[in-house]
Amino acid sequence: MNFLSQALTTQPEPDWSRVQALPIHECDEPLVPLGLVPPPIRGYPTYFHLGIGGALSECYVRRSVLARLQKAARLLPAGIELVVLDGWRPLAVQQYLFNTLTQALRRHFPGEDEASLLARARHFVAPASAEAASPSPHLTGGAVDVTLCDTEGGMLDMGTEFDDIGPWSATAAFEAVARPGPKEAEIIENRRLLYSVMIRAGFSNLPSEWWHFDYGNQNWAWFTQQPHALYGPARLPGLAGRWERQVALLGG
C-alpha cells in the first residue's frame, strides 16, 4: 500500500498531567520566520487575519521545525503545497483563545462544573502557560497548525475548518464513515496525505485536531516516546535584547 493512502487510526487523548511532567532539555534553537521561505510552503497567519489582538503578521517556528516543514512539503505531490496557519504563539493570544472557548462552553453548559468545562476546553486549546517546566505547546515554537492548498492558493477540503471544535476535527474521524461518497473520500485522502508527509518529516499529531503537529516539545516527546523534550517556552528576540548581548561582548 502506498504510504499516502494508508488509513488513519483513532488515538486516545494523552494524560496531560503526564505530558506536562516530561523533562525539557532546552536546546536554545532560535525562532525563525517563514515569510521568506519559498513554495511549496506558504505562511498564512490566521489569527492575525482574524484580527485577534497581539497576533503576529508572520509565522515563526524553531529552526529544526522549519527544516522538517520543508521536508514535509517536498514529499507532497506536484500541485499541492503546505500552508502554515500558526506556529509560535504569544502568551496573550494563547490566553485569549482559551478564555474565549471556556466562556462559550460556560454559556452552552451552564450547569456543568468548572473542572469539566476546563477539561472540555483543554481538548482543543491548551491553557496559557509560559512556565519553564510546562509551557503551552505553541509557546515553544515546536507546534504548528497546517493544511494543504493547490498552486493557486485554494485550500483543499479537510472536512472542517481550522480550529473547529466539533467531533469531525479528530484526525481519523472520517475513517469511520462506512460508505464514503466522493466528498468524504476526498477529505479522507487529503487528511491521509497531510498526516503522512508530516509524520514522515518527524512530527507527531494531536489526535483531536487534524491540523496540529508537534516537534521537539512535550507533546512530541509523549507521542514519539522520547525521554525528554527539546523545547521549552520561547521568545522572539527583540532589538534591545540583541544589542544588550552585543554590547556585553564588546568588553570594557
Side-chain angles (χ1 to χ4, degrees):
M1 181 182 290
N2 187 293
F3 78 89
L4 296 182
S5 63
Q6 290 180 355
L8 304 177
T9 57
T10 301
Q11 301 292 328
E13 186 168 356
D15 181 336
W16 293 114
S17 63
R18 293 176 64 189
V19 173
Q20 293 177 325
L22 288 168
I24 299 171
H25 296 179
E26 176 60 60
C27 67
D28 292 322
E29 274 187 7
L31 292 167
V32 294
L34 298 184
L36 298 178
V37 176
I41 292 180
R42 297 185 184 225
Y44 185 80
T46 302
Y47 296 128
F48 173 79
H49 291 292
L50 288 173
I52 293 175
L56 303 177
S57 60
E58 174 72 280
C59 291
Y60 289 85
V61 296
R62 296 277 192 143
R63 185 167 55 200
S64 289
V65 174
L66 174 56
R68 282 162 176 76
L69 288 171
Q70 291 169 322
K71 179 178 180 179
R74 288 193 293 267
L75 288 169
L76 291 168
I80 304 297
E81 299 183 354
L82 185 68
V83 183
V84 180
L85 303 169
D86 194 32
W88 180 80
R89 188 181 293 167
L91 183 65
V93 176
Q94 187 70 32
Q95 189 68 65
Y96 171 85
L97 296 175
F98 190 76
N99 288 350
T100 302
L101 179 54
T102 53
Q103 289 165 9
L105 290 170
R106 286 190 190 101
R107 288 191 295 270
H108 191 73
F109 301 101
E112 192 159 331
D113 64 88
E114 190 68 7
S116 297
L117 286 172
L118 294 178
R120 284 182 184 269
R122 181 65 184 86
H123 192 64
F124 287 100
V125 181
S129 171
E131 294 293 327
S134 57
S136 305
H138 276 280
L139 268 72
T140 70
V144 288
D145 297 324
V146 294
T147 189
L148 301 172
C149 74
D150 58 30
T151 53
E152 301 299 317
M155 298 290 193
L156 300 196
D157 190 353
M158 307 301 286
T160 74
E161 294 183 278
F162 164 58
D163 262 358
D164 189 294
I165 61 169
W168 291 106
S169 290
T171 304
F174 280 85
E175 300 285 350
V177 177
R179 293 187 176 88
K183 179 179 176 63
E184 290 84 5
E186 179 183 0
I187 292 166
I188 290 168
E189 285 304 308
N190 289 341
R191 289 197 184 189
R192 289 179 183 181
L193 175 60
L194 177 63
Y195 180 90
S196 297
V197 299
M198 293 295 286
I199 296 301
R200 284 168 65 90
F203 291 93
S204 64
N205 171 248
L206 186 61
S208 59
E209 301 177 353
W210 59 261
W211 57 83
H212 182 108
F213 293 84
D214 296 281
Y215 174 78
N217 59 22
Q218 289 169 311
N219 281 7
W220 167 82
W222 172 269
F223 285 111
T224 60
Q225 300 182 337
Q226 301 298 314
H228 60 82
L230 307 175
Y231 303 148
R235 290 171 50 182
L236 282 179
L239 180 61
R242 179 155 57 90
W243 278 352
E244 286 286 347
R245 291 192 298 273
Q246 292 171 350
V247 168
L249 293 175
L250 295 177

